[in-house]
Amino acid sequence: MKKALLVLLAVAMVFSVAACGNNAAPTNSEAPENTAGTADAVTYEGTYTEPLKMGTNAAFPPYEYKEGEEFCGIDVEIATAVAEELGTTLEVADMEFDSIITAVQQGEVSFGMAGMTVTDERKEEVNFTSSYATGVQVVIVTEDSAIATLDDLAGKKIGTQLGTTGDTYSKGDYGEENVTSYGKGADAVIALKGGDVDAVIIDNEPAKAFVAENEGLKILETEYAVEDYAIAVAKDNATLLSDLNKALEKLTADGTIDTIIAKYIKAE
Ligand code: ARG
């Protein structure tokens, strides 16, 4: 009886995530076939009796965002598939981006997954799984902006999301006094529209989503930084790190991860 209930819950979880992004992201016919089930079974080290808790900042489409009360996005769906692979379910804990690493270190969440870039500084605080996606820091400006290159940003007002790589790098390159850090990327974009900042530096996929939602904005072609996204795990949790890596490897091999990414990011 209990087991049947658990299975029901697990299925409900998959269904609810499957409903995400339906209007925004038509399925890409180029997506590789999902051959899940044909791949060899993987043996995991840990036993996962509790749901896995993912710490994230669900204001970062298409990686994590909310549709009503539901958490959607590439990271949410990959994490759901990973949790299922480890025999459990996923719970999402939504928080400020710059709180995620501390939440991971203090064990408030099982792992952090938030389009999070692997950096040397962060590696001192947490361990990272192998990378499951690439991100590029880009520059958003208004359509009529005179800013055309990274050099043109010198002395201009830049908006970022607090604690992100775009925030740290631009403070280093253009001076802290020229950078305003917002709690959410979307708030930096509102500031750009309102003329409070001249440019926003943020990851390319959220940038595309924000530009699509807001008239009069464009993304510069110059890439500011190319980065790897990975899942952050507490330093003392080697078992989970190893199991997440094994699960990611399996879900990559069987096409699940590509299928999820293709659902949210249309091939150009
Ligand atoms: N990739 C950037 C970083 O790691 C930005 C990530 C922001 N993610 C989010 N869910 N708000 O710093």
Side-chain angles (χ1 to χ4, degrees), residues 56-60 64 97 114-117 122 137 161 163-166 203 227 229:
T56 197
N57 169 247
F60 198 68
E64 44 267 331
F97 180 75
M116 191 182 285
T117 304
R122 290 175 183 165
Q137 296 297 315
Q161 182 182 14
T164 60
T165 48
D203 305 51
E227 322 183 302
Y229 292 167

Side-chain angles (χ1 to χ4, degrees), residues 170-185:
S170 56
K171 282 176 178 160
D173 288 342
Y174 301 102
E176 258 183 67
E177 67 284 7
N178 293 315
V179 179
T180 310
S181 318
Y182 296 86
K184 290 181 186 159

Side-chain angles (χ1 to χ4, degrees), residues 14-254:
V14 172
F15 265 93
S16 75
V17 172
C20 283
N22 273 346
N23 357 328
T27 342
N28 176 359
S29 53
E30 305 274 291
E33 281 274 293
N34 184 343
T35 51
T38 62
D40 290 337
V42 182
T43 318
Y44 296 103
E45 285 170 39
T47 319
Y48 301 93
T49 48
E50 302 283 312
L52 285 174
K53 208 169 177 185
M54 159 176 163
T56 197
N57 169 247
F60 198 68
Y63 293 96
E64 44 267 331
Y65 59 96
K66 286 179 94 174
E67 271 179 24
E69 284 310 297
E70 197 181 347
F71 290 102
C72 292
I74 293 170
D75 289 348
V76 177
E77 295 209 24
I78 292 178
T80 302
V82 165
E84 202 184 324
E85 183 56 35
L86 298 182
T88 185
T89 53
L90 185 78
E91 255 174 43
V92 177
D94 194 13
M95 59 188 74
E96 298 292 314
F97 180 75
D98 72 338
S99 304
I100 298 173
I101 292 205
T102 314
V104 169
Q105 288 177 310
Q106 296 181 344
E108 280 163 37
V109 295
S110 321
F111 57 82
M113 191 172 187
M116 191 182 285
T117 304
V118 179
T119 68
D120 288 341
E121 291 73 40
R122 290 175 183 165
K123 273 190 194 161
E124 284 171 19
E125 300 175 317
V126 289
N127 282 330
F128 282 102
T129 61
S130 33
S131 176
Y132 62 90
T134 305
V136 183
Q137 296 297 315
V138 296
V139 183
I140 311 177
V141 293
T142 53
E143 256 162 15
D144 58 2
S145 175
I147 300 169
T149 67
L150 292 173
D151 288 344
D152 295 338
L153 286 174
K156 294 286 184 328
K157 284 184 244 152
I158 300 169
T160 58
Q161 182 182 14
L162 182 66
T164 60
T165 48
D167 186 45
T168 318
Y169 300 161
S170 56
K171 282 176 178 160
D173 288 342
Y174 301 102
E176 258 183 67
E177 67 284 7
N178 293 315
V179 179
T180 310
S181 318
Y182 296 86
K184 290 181 186 159
D187 292 337
V189 171
I190 291 170
L192 174 62
K193 285 183 78 178
D196 295 332
V197 296
D198 304 307
V200 169
I201 296 186
I202 196 161
D203 305 51
N204 57 335
E205 289 302 331
K208 282 189 217 162
F210 294 143
V211 167
E213 278 165 22
N214 292 279
E215 254 172 62
L217 302 180
K218 65 178 182 190
I219 300 171
L220 295 188
E221 276 182 29
T222 346
E223 297 177 342
Y224 181 44
V226 180
E227 322 183 302
D228 289 323
Y229 292 167
I231 305 175
V233 183
K235 288 270 190 195
D236 59 6
N237 205 343
T239 305
L240 181 63
L241 181 70
S242 153
D243 284 348
L244 291 179
N245 274 329
K246 284 188 196 170
L248 284 175
E249 196 183 330
K250 178 177 179 215
L251 296 169
T252 303
D254 72 12

